[in-house]
Amino acid sequence: MMVAMTGVVLLAQLAAVVLAALALWSIRHELSEKATTRLAWMVTPALAIVVAAVLLIVSPGKRYELWVAAIAAGLAIGAVAGALMKVNQDVGQQLLRVPRTWDGAAAAALLLLLALARVVTSYLIVRESGRFGVLGAAAAFLAAYLAARYVIARVYKVPRAIHLDMTRGVNPNRTLIA
């Protein structure tokens, strides 16, 4: 029974690594300044939430108060980051574009590192966990950051964004206005 449970946990952790890698790949539009659909914008925070949930579930330390504090801090900081983003939109094609931003990609990259760290520390390094739940809390912080950043940008910034004619996957090389 214990071997089967360990196999399930390993599969969950490996799935978290794959999903975190997909989250990092899905935010490439922010680094390349290319116009993308509203649905594509939603993929990164959705994947980040799933990765954080998996990492919290498989966490050997269950510190719920730390996790709640990390989520609250991530939501607050992500909301500020979302409010500060400059967004342009193409209303007819429902495309969005932001100037090159590093914070979202950095958060997704850190989430991937955390998922990899969970696999490495659980199966490749022989050490006893401190059972503090810090890795899970960090993942929850990053997921909350990405989610709040998306929601505030989508709800607060996009309706106020100016219209520019855009083509999906293309950088129109125009200056973005707040």
Side-chain angles (χ1 to χ4, degrees), residues 44-177:
T44 303
L47 289 171
I49 290 169
V50 172
V51 170
V54 169
L55 293 178
L56 288 174
I57 290 168
V58 301
S59 177
K62 305 291 186 200
R63 300 264 321 260
Y64 300 111
E65 67 282 354
L66 177 63
W67 296 352
V68 170
I71 291 169
L75 289 173
I77 296 170
V80 171
L84 294 175
M85 289 177 73
K86 293 181 179 179
V87 180
N88 283 139
Q89 67 175 328
D90 185 326
V91 179
Q93 296 187 40
Q94 296 186 344
L95 296 174
L96 301 173
R97 178 177 169 259
V98 295
R100 183 169 289 118
T101 57
W102 295 97
D103 62 321
L110 286 173
L111 194 61
L112 176 59
L113 286 176
L114 290 173
L116 286 169
R118 172 55 60 209
V119 172
V120 169
T121 58
S122 296
Y123 295 99
L124 301 177
I125 296 177
V126 180
R127 71 163 188 80
E128 191 63 31
S129 173
R131 300 204 184 279
F132 292 117
V134 174
L135 193 139
F141 171 82
L142 293 170
Y145 175 84
L146 288 169
R149 181 177 173 266
Y150 165 76
V151 168
I152 295 300
R154 179 71 180 90
V155 171
Y156 177 70
K157 295 297 279 196
V158 170
R160 293 167 176 76
I162 66 165
H163 172 85
L164 291 176
D165 291 329
M166 292 185 250
T167 305
R168 183 176 179 199
V170 175
N171 180 352
N173 294 317
R174 292 190 205 119
T175 304
L176 286 136
I177 299 173

